[in-house]
Amino acid sequence: MPNKEMLLIPGPTPVVDEIYEALASETYAHTDPRVVKIFKNSLSLTKRLFNTDGEVFVVAGSGTLAMEMALINTVAPGEKLLVISHGYFGDRFIPIAKAFGIQVESLQAEWGKHIQKELVEEKLAEGGFKAVTVTHVDTSTGVMAHIEELIPVVKKAGALFILDGVCAAAAIDEDMQKTYGHPDYKLDVVLTGSQKAIGVPPGLGIVAFGPKALAAREAMAKVPGYYLDIKNWISIMNDPGKYFATPPVNMIYAFNKGMEIVMAEGLNNRYRRHAALGQAVRAGLKVYGMKPLAAEEAAAPTLSCIVYPEGVNDVEFRSRLAAKGMVIAGALASLAGKAFRIGHMGNVTEEMFVKAIELVGETLKEMGLEANMEAAVEEFKKVYHSV
Ligand SMILES: *Cc1c(COP(=O)(O)O)cnc(C)c1O
């Protein structure tokens, strides 16, 4: 089944045929050795993706469930959490924490900017924070956190570093054994969903716990959850032939295929491709007078939030594009109507974005604006091949 649409929203991202074929394979018993083998393989590839010496958990659910799983297994009710927020998805940790009685405080970036480490240092100096959450790429703003600056600050303060990688994993390096200036300065938890840069349909929450995060769970007598308690899952993830709760068998087939595609491309190649794509898409659109919300040093490889030039009606622009088979997303909160969001992650190609740049130009022209399509495509290609 070929993709009929160019789904360039911040997830789900385009699903390639091989993944659809895997998804449509026969549903066997969840304990059938053929399923167990595929599940095991997908878990070992997930460990490779995050390069973790801890444990990975792949469960039915979405990215939000993965966020919840990360929190309740590391921070107990009554303990303190600091949320570093670069927008809508960073903020989402606040109600999650509150739902579990976690004492939560937050640092809010101005939309489009990233939070400076000095501010975090100052806040953590108040003491007592068990963990800090950071959203790698905030899908509302297209801002990428500077984790290389934040990790040392958070770890020096003795807190766990929890990274929401939903809009980043498999497109931006999230190596959990990489150290940032000291052997202990590492990521502790990274989480994602199946439908963003991994390029699989929505349906799976994926969480990796490093040794310090696993120790934090061990130190808690209980957690306010059952399905989300990683202690109920550890033996399953080590032997998927065991039963705790029925895994979504067909989604596991699809996820395994998705992870094989990621590894066949190679992680470094994939990271480089996304870095190039992000810069090139923004450069191409700039030719049309469309400006990214985030400055290039804070802009994400996976997704861009682009401010409309004067005189473009958001709903009309996006519906015209949708009629041509290209789907993008509106902006959120105070940016609604003033900007759009375009995903450039997962199993997408250069050809797709040449087409996308052309369609945007065509649409602007239809709406009575000027658009130099040749120049925009040329700029896109030039930047794409120079990164
Ligand atoms: C999409 C997204 C989420 C939420 O994931 P769902 O699968 O929609 O629950 C969380 N964080 C980030 C950064 C996201 O991009």
Side-chain angles (χ1 to χ4, degrees):
M1 187 173 80
N3 286 305
K4 294 189 184 69
E5 289 187 331
M6 292 210 295
L7 189 58
L8 307 182
I9 59 173
T13 59
V15 177
V16 297
D17 291 352
E18 289 163 275
I19 293 176
Y20 281 130
E21 279 157 22
L23 190 63
S25 309
E26 186 172 345
T27 305
Y28 297 132
H30 53 286
T31 49
D32 186 299
R34 291 167 291 188
V35 174
V36 173
K37 186 168 165 228
I38 291 170
F39 203 166
K40 263 194 186 151
N41 189 59
S42 73
L43 290 166
S44 80
L45 297 181
T46 308
K47 277 196 170 164
R48 249 171 74 195
L49 170 65
F50 297 116
N51 188 31
T52 180
D53 51 354
E55 299 279 353
V56 295
F57 303 89
V58 175
V59 300
S62 78
T64 306
L65 178 115
M67 293 166 80
E68 233 173 270
M69 194 176 211
L71 271 196
I72 74 161
N73 287 285
T74 49
V75 188
E79 289 185 327
K80 274 169 74 176
L81 172 75
L82 177 64
V83 169
I84 296 180
S85 177
H86 294 107
Y88 182 87
F89 286 99
D91 285 348
R92 179 164 285 196
F93 277 112
I94 299 169
I96 296 176
K98 285 186 176 161
F100 294 102
I102 293 167
Q103 279 190 57
V104 59
E105 294 188 48
S106 69
L107 289 174
Q108 304 276 337
E110 190 186 325
W111 275 34
K113 303 259 163 55
H114 70 91
I115 290 194
Q116 305 293 322
K117 65 170 192 230
E118 290 75 16
L119 211 62
V120 179
E121 217 157 23
E122 209 173 283
K123 186 73 203 165
L124 289 173
E126 291 174 13
F129 288 97
K130 179 79 173 291
V132 175
T133 62
V134 176
T135 311
H136 206 167
V137 172
D138 202 298
T139 321
S140 60
T141 55
V143 167
M144 177 165 68
H146 289 201
I147 61 168
E148 69 289 351
E149 290 174 10
L150 297 175
I151 290 170
V153 170
V154 169
K155 298 307 299 177
K156 211 180 288 170
L160 293 167
F161 197 105
I162 300 173
L163 186 67
D164 174 350
V166 179
C167 198
I172 307 171
D173 188 11
E174 294 179 331
D175 182 332
M176 294 178 76
Q177 291 189 70
K178 186 165 166 184
T179 58
Y180 293 82
H182 182 282
D184 288 339
Y185 296 175
K186 295 190 268 194
L187 293 166
D188 294 301
V189 180
V190 183
L191 63 100
T192 189
S194 49
Q195 79 275 26
K196 301 212 178 171
I198 301 175
V200 169
L204 294 176
I206 298 147
V207 193
F209 277 70
K212 287 239 162 74
L214 290 170
R217 172 63 194 91
E218 276 304 323
M220 289 190 271
K222 61 183 172 69
V223 298
Y226 176 67
Y227 185 79
L228 285 182
D229 185 351
I230 57 168
K231 282 190 102 169
N232 286 328
W233 287 106
I234 285 180
S235 60
I236 314 302
M237 296 299 144
N238 285 303
D239 177 8
K242 290 191 179 142
Y243 171 75
F244 169 57
T246 310
V249 171
N250 292 62
M251 275 305 296
I252 300 292
Y253 299 158
F255 177 62
N256 182 55
K257 181 54 74 182
M259 289 302 299
E260 283 179 352
I261 291 171
V262 167
M263 293 306 168
E265 180 174 4
L267 290 176
N268 287 332
N269 291 337
R270 204 166 167 99
Y271 300 152
R272 206 176 316 117
R273 173 167 66 81
H274 281 88
L277 199 51
Q279 288 180 39
V281 168
R282 288 185 290 272
L285 292 175
K286 264 191 198 157
V287 174
Y288 297 142
M290 298 178 141
K291 295 198 180 66
L293 174 71
E296 200 54 39
E297 57 101 30
T302 47
L303 157 117
S304 299
C305 182
I306 307 282
V307 181
Y308 286 115
E310 202 61 33
V312 182
N313 178 284
D314 170 49
V315 173
E316 184 187 351
F317 177 73
R318 286 190 291 118
S319 10
R320 280 180 183 272
L321 275 178
K324 298 177 202 295
M326 172 175 160
V327 185
I328 55 172
L332 302 173
S334 65
L335 287 171
K338 296 182 194 136
F340 67 89
R341 295 175 304 145
I342 181 166
H344 28 79
M345 65 181 138
N347 298 321
V348 291
T349 60
E350 178 182 3
E351 293 69 38
M352 236 182 235
F353 282 90
V354 167
K355 182 81 187 157
I357 302 263
E358 285 171 355
L359 289 177
V360 167
E362 228 176 85
T363 305
L364 288 173
K365 281 186 174 170
E366 282 172 17
M367 291 173 74
L369 283 103
E370 282 186 21
N372 187 340
M373 286 161 60
E374 257 172 47
V377 168
E378 198 178 305
E379 182 66 10
F380 167 81
K381 286 186 177 164
K382 192 186 88 193
V383 174
Y384 187 72
H385 290 285
S386 69
V387 176

